[in-house]
Amino acid sequence: MTDKKATLNIDSENEAISLPTYSGSLGPDVIDVRGLTSKGYFTYDPGFVSTASCESKITFIDGANGVLLHRGYPIDQLAEKSDFLETCYLLLHGELPSLDEYTDFVKIIINHTMVHESIARFFRGFHHDSHPMAMMCGIVGALSAFYHDSLDITDPRHRIISAHRLIAKMPTLAAMCYKHSQGQPFMYPNNNLSYSENFMHMMFGTPCDDPQVNPVLSRAMDKIFLLHADHEQNASTSTVRLAGSSGANPFACIASGIATLWGPAHGGANEAVLKMLEEIGDVSNIDKFVAKAKDKNDPFRLMGFGHRVYKNFDPRAKVMKETCDEVLAELGLEDDPLLKIAKRLETIALEDEYFIEKKLYPNVDFYSGIIMKAIGIPTDMFTVIFATGRTVGWIAHWHEMLGESVKIGRPRQLYTGAKPRDYSPREGRPAAAKEVF
Ligand code: SDX
């Protein structure tokens, strides 16, 4: 609470409405508008552009300055000095672990990577060309059918067991989606490998040979998971919080986050970036596509550019660009044509008045797709990788929300539909003017 008050004067009201304001440790003050309902008003904010839906201690973004903090630690420091599982511990528990705590946490996660054998049978119901995100939505939701011992969401021990299971099993399930699409046998996790080495092994290994994981590529994979771990109240995290506020079990909540992330405006953008670069095809075509992106009458947008919060460089994109250069150098792909188009597109866009005026910079999705394609991950698996990294963020917010007194999320609306009218008999009723659905 601050001693600052917001005073709302409404023409038709005799008295001004006084609203409390609160200051966080960082970021803008907020105005508590809960008192408006008793005065007969709702706030109106489609897309929640100016709405703080909750209080949180997990992640902070300073969009104007391109800053991203996880429990106060800058993302570039974590990407350089930490690893994905240590960042998972930080997001879940609020502090970096001691060496012993880190070792124990890694052991717990590594020992939860297997999935129930029955899960393999679920995949047989999907055609081999099913989109992996469709499979992930179904399979992760179905995990609720297997873990009856940890569904009391009011018990912190159940919540943390579910967190460990989800963080551990997402790479296994992601790799199973890929193997199913390739018609190859599922690979069991190998507990002698690190989290990201294990993922690469389950993705590209076969029962016919011993694990062979390129350390540069597994380190790049670990950074991709780390850079996608959490991002405040983005669309998918807000969905998980809303689902969790009804008391739904953690696996169903995470499945709702996966479904939301799939959209091309959100986590589906990395897949859309690759498709856009392939559609551009050559640097000589870039100007035509930039013109389309600027044309108000053309729905085309430059995928991988722009962000609701960042009005500066997405700090994750900077790290992703460095990782991209490392991976392509390791694989001898420095002359990758898509990378050439991406780098030229970035230069042109950053010098273009439209993008400068609208503060549209490359976001996390702009380079991640190029790295994943170079590693050999098919485009339709890109958002599955994003979901695998983001699961810890979703579950950390779910856990944080349930640790406080939870009110079910239930937004209101501005209703502009028909006013009360009486039913008319069907005989003789005129044809309805059909709204375009
Ligand atoms: C992610 O929220 C998160 O934190 C998300 C995320 C996470 O980690 O969880 O960071 C992950 O989702 C990154 C964003 C990935 N999406 C894309 O790259 C898709 C392309 N980008 C856009 O669709 C768009 O920039 C959004 C959806 C990301 C943000 O849109 P906003 O904040 O709703 O902004 P807007 O649509 O109101 O755009 C503002 C203006 C508009 O022009 P005007 O109507 O003011 O004239 O900028 C224009 C838009 O037309 N614009 C673009 C553009 N993005 C916005 N014009 C061309 N190309 C673009 N990419």
Side-chain angles (χ1 to χ4, degrees):
M1 181 83 85
T2 70
D3 43 18
K4 245 193 314 191
K5 289 263 182 279
T7 304
L8 188 58
N9 291 300
I10 301 177
D11 295 346
S12 57
E13 298 291 337
N14 298 330
E15 284 182 39
I17 301 172
S18 175
L19 299 168
T21 66
Y22 309 128
S23 294
S25 41
L26 293 169
D29 287 355
V30 298
I31 299 172
D32 184 342
V33 295
R34 286 175 288 186
L36 283 181
T37 310
S38 62
K39 306 284 186 187
Y41 292 94
F42 295 151
T43 59
Y44 183 63
D45 183 20
F48 309 120
V49 178
S50 307
T51 295
S53 61
C54 62
E55 176 183 344
S56 180
K57 296 174 171 59
I58 298 173
T59 290
F60 176 73
I61 302 171
D62 174 349
N65 297 302
V67 172
L68 169 58
L69 306 176
H70 288 323
R71 302 287 190 176
Y73 293 96
I75 190 67
D76 48 321
Q77 288 185 32
L78 292 171
E80 184 194 343
K81 299 171 182 168
S82 183
D83 65 23
F84 177 62
L85 284 189
E86 185 178 63
T87 302
C88 286
Y89 186 98
L90 174 66
L91 288 169
L92 286 174
H93 299 289
E95 297 296 338
L96 288 168
S98 67
L99 182 57
D100 288 347
E101 288 167 333
Y102 173 76
T103 306
D104 290 346
F105 183 71
V106 170
K107 206 176 290 176
I108 288 169
I109 297 297
I110 291 294
N111 285 292
H112 274 297
T113 47
M114 274 181 49
V115 293
H116 195 287
E117 280 297 295
S118 303
I119 289 280
R121 288 201 288 275
F122 277 77
F123 282 90
R124 292 200 193 106
F126 293 113
H127 281 271
H128 70 279
D129 58 356
S130 302
H131 196 291
M133 283 297 278
M135 292 193 260
M136 286 299 276
C137 288
I139 294 287
V140 172
L143 288 178
S144 0
F146 290 84
Y147 296 108
H148 303 288
D149 65 338
S150 63
L151 294 180
D152 175 2
I153 57 165
T154 62
D155 182 340
R157 289 167 307 151
H158 283 205
R159 294 204 297 270
I160 210 65
I161 294 167
S162 299
H164 292 157
R165 281 175 168 149
L166 279 157
I167 293 167
K169 297 178 194 309
M170 283 295 282
T172 308
L173 296 172
M176 290 174 85
C177 290
Y178 174 66
K179 286 302 194 189
H180 178 70
S181 70
Q182 300 298 305
Q184 287 186 2
F186 297 138
M187 294 296 289
Y188 284 105
N190 177 326
N191 291 354
N192 300 314
L193 299 174
S194 73
Y195 186 87
S196 297
E197 286 170 343
N198 217 349
F199 175 65
M200 299 291 276
H201 167 60
M202 292 186 286
M203 280 284 288
F204 301 116
T206 71
C208 318
D209 42 37
D210 296 331
Q212 294 157 354
V213 181
N214 178 319
V216 173
L217 303 189
S218 57
R219 177 74 185 130
M221 198 70 247
D222 198 80
K223 276 194 185 170
I224 287 176
F225 287 142
L226 190 155
L227 291 170
H228 286 88
D230 188 50
H231 215 235
E232 278 190 0
Q233 308 308 324
N234 59 84
S236 51
T237 301
S238 299
T239 303
V240 171
R241 278 182 173 260
L242 198 55
S245 73
S246 76
N249 77 62
F251 305 99
C253 293
I254 297 304
S256 72
I258 294 172
T260 306
L261 188 74
W262 195 358
H266 189 15
N270 48 25
E271 182 175 351
V273 166
L274 250 290
K275 289 194 172 118
M276 176 187 73
L277 294 175
E278 286 161 352
E279 192 184 352
I280 292 174
D282 184 89
V283 289
S284 60
N285 296 327
I286 289 176
D287 291 339
K288 182 175 73 177
F289 281 84
V290 169
K292 278 170 62 71
K294 291 158 60 173
D295 179 355
K296 290 297 299 165
N297 301 316
D298 190 327
F300 173 77
R301 285 192 164 183
L302 225 43
M303 303 316 281
F305 274 81
H307 198 277
R308 171 62 56 79
V309 178
Y310 290 122
K311 300 311 173 190
N312 197 319
F313 252 93
D314 179 336
R316 302 169 296 175
K318 284 182 183 172
V319 180
M320 208 63 95
K321 187 173 177 179
E322 290 158 15
T323 306
C324 189
D325 290 337
E326 288 164 15
V327 166
L328 295 181
E330 172 70 14
L331 298 171
L333 297 172
E334 297 95 324
D335 296 332
D336 179 88
L338 293 182
L339 179 69
K340 274 187 175 171
I341 295 171
K343 289 196 168 182
R344 183 79 191 111
L345 178 59
E346 182 184 13
T347 306
I348 291 174
L350 292 180
E351 291 164 359
D352 185 288
E353 197 42 50
Y354 173 92
F355 291 88
I356 293 168
E357 183 246 327
K358 293 185 187 296
K359 299 185 182 342
L360 302 174
Y361 291 85
N363 57 47
V364 67
D365 294 302
F366 189 64
Y367 281 101
S368 59
I370 297 170
I371 300 172
M372 291 190 275
K373 181 176 184 295
I375 289 176
I377 295 169
T379 313
D380 63 5
M381 278 288 295
F382 288 3
T383 312
V384 172
I385 306 294
F386 191 152
T388 301
R390 184 53 56 88
T391 292
V392 62
W394 289 331
I395 209 81
H397 282 275
W398 172 81
H399 183 56
E400 179 181 63
M401 175 187 70
L402 292 172
E404 297 141 11
S405 59
V406 185
K407 283 178 80 68
I408 186 168
R410 205 275 185 221
R412 307 308 296 269
Q413 63 177 9
L414 170 65
Y415 177 70
T416 55
K419 292 182 178 172
R421 53 186 171 165
D422 295 327
Y423 183 85
S424 61
R426 196 168 304 130
E427 293 70 23
R429 191 187 297 157
K434 291 183 185 57
E435 278 191 38
V436 175
F437 180 73

